[in-house]
């Protein structure tokens, strides 16, 4: 390619690049759309709680499951068996033989925390914005969602929630409380087996 032709080709490429729309950054609405694609999921979790006044970290393990739009279940297996199930506005807590049920909206702080989890897992951006100021960093392949409470009463309990994920999978949830305590929950999705096709 001769000099004039080369310059003409380069000019054409630059013109196309200038005319092409700039690629938009990955934002909150993009993340919500990605998360909304996952309608159900199961995972194993390992939680570390850092409590002021305690020298040792508290450790919990168990399973998590979510079914859109509003069923969230946490089964703690160690150090003791407990279950926490939220469906609609109903919470069921069980420890051993003791079972307690209560309405979610009767505990505003707990309602906000449940909304943070269910809203993230279901991609419900409007629900998250009701309680939190959301900020998203990263890209679809690896992202971080930071949720800061809007209500001053909730802010007096929860300083921040930081959720890390990859595509539609939530992988780490860090909860920072106003008193300095915090917890870090690592989540490992469990692949659900597909039914095998019938053998002719």
């Amino acid at each position: 390619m001769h000099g004039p032709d080369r310059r003409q080709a380069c000019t054409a490429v630059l013109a196309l690049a200038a005319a092409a729309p700039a690629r938009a950054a990955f934002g909150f609405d993009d993340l919500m759309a990605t998360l909304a694609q996952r309608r159900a999921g199961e995972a194993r979790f390992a939680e570390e709680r850092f409590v002021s006044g305690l020298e040792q970290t508290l450790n919990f393990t168990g399973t998590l499951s979510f079914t859109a739009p509003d069923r969230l279940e946490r089964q703690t297996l160690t150090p003791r068996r407990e279950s926490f199930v939220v469906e609609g506005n109903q919470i069921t807590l069980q420890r051993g033989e003791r079972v307690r049920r209560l309405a979610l909206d009767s505990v505003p702080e707990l309602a906000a925390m449940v909304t943070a989890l269910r809203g993230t897992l279901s991609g419900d951006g409007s629900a998250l914005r009701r309680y939190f100021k959301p900020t998203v960093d990263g890209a679809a392949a690896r992202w971080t969602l930071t949720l800061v409470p809007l209500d001053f009463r909730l802010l007096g309990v929860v300083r921040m929630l930081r959720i890390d994920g990859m595509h539609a999978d939530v992988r780490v949830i860090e909860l920072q409380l106003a008193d300095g305590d915090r917890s870090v929950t690592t989540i490992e999705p469990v692949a659900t087996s597909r039914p095998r096709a019938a053998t002719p």
Side-chain angles (χ1 to χ4, degrees):
M1 183 179 291
H2 299 292
D5 294 332
R6 184 181 293 110
R7 286 195 298 271
Q8 186 176 0
C10 291
T11 301
V13 170
L14 290 173
L16 286 172
R23 185 177 181 181
F26 185 74
F28 180 71
D29 292 337
D30 301 306
L31 176 58
M32 293 298 102
T34 299
L35 292 168
Q37 297 173 15
R38 178 69 56 83
R39 305 301 296 167
E42 298 179 6
R44 292 182 293 268
F45 76 85
E47 177 186 356
E48 294 180 284
R49 291 183 192 172
F50 305 88
V51 181
S52 57
L54 294 181
E55 294 183 359
Q56 292 185 336
T57 303
L58 302 178
N59 296 284
F60 303 83
T61 63
T63 62
L64 296 169
S65 65
F66 174 74
T67 304
D70 60 12
R71 191 177 195 282
L72 179 65
E73 180 175 348
R74 169 178 163 135
Q75 294 284 345
T76 302
L77 302 178
T78 64
R80 58 182 179 272
R81 296 185 72 90
E82 297 177 350
S83 69
F84 176 93
V85 180
V86 186
E87 191 161 10
N89 191 47
Q90 183 77 31
I91 302 177
T92 303
L93 304 169
Q94 183 170 359
R95 178 183 295 177
E97 299 299 320
R98 184 181 178 186
V99 179
R100 184 184 179 193
R101 295 181 176 86
L102 65 153
L104 182 59
D105 54 15
S106 66
V107 189
E109 291 81 6
L110 183 57
M113 296 304 298
V114 170
T115 297
L117 294 177
R118 290 198 302 199
T120 300
L121 291 170
S122 64
D124 188 347
S126 61
L128 291 178
R129 283 193 169 111
R130 190 177 309 138
Y131 292 101
F132 302 95
K133 177 183 178 182
T135 304
V136 173
D137 296 304
R142 188 179 292 274
W143 49 265
T144 297
L145 170 64
T146 303
L147 300 173
V148 177
L150 295 173
D151 185 86
F152 74 95
R153 290 170 298 182
L154 180 58
L155 195 57
V157 179
V158 178
R159 179 179 299 166
M160 180 185 66
L161 267 165
R162 181 159 47 231
I163 303 171
D164 296 328
M166 301 172 64
H167 299 289
D169 290 331
V170 172
R171 291 304 184 97
V172 179
I173 301 174
E174 180 178 355
L175 170 63
Q176 296 185 11
L177 300 180
D179 62 6
D181 294 351
R182 67 186 183 97
S183 67
V184 178
T185 302
T186 303
I187 299 170
E188 184 64 35
V190 176
T192 54
S193 58
R194 297 180 179 179
R196 296 180 179 178
T199 304

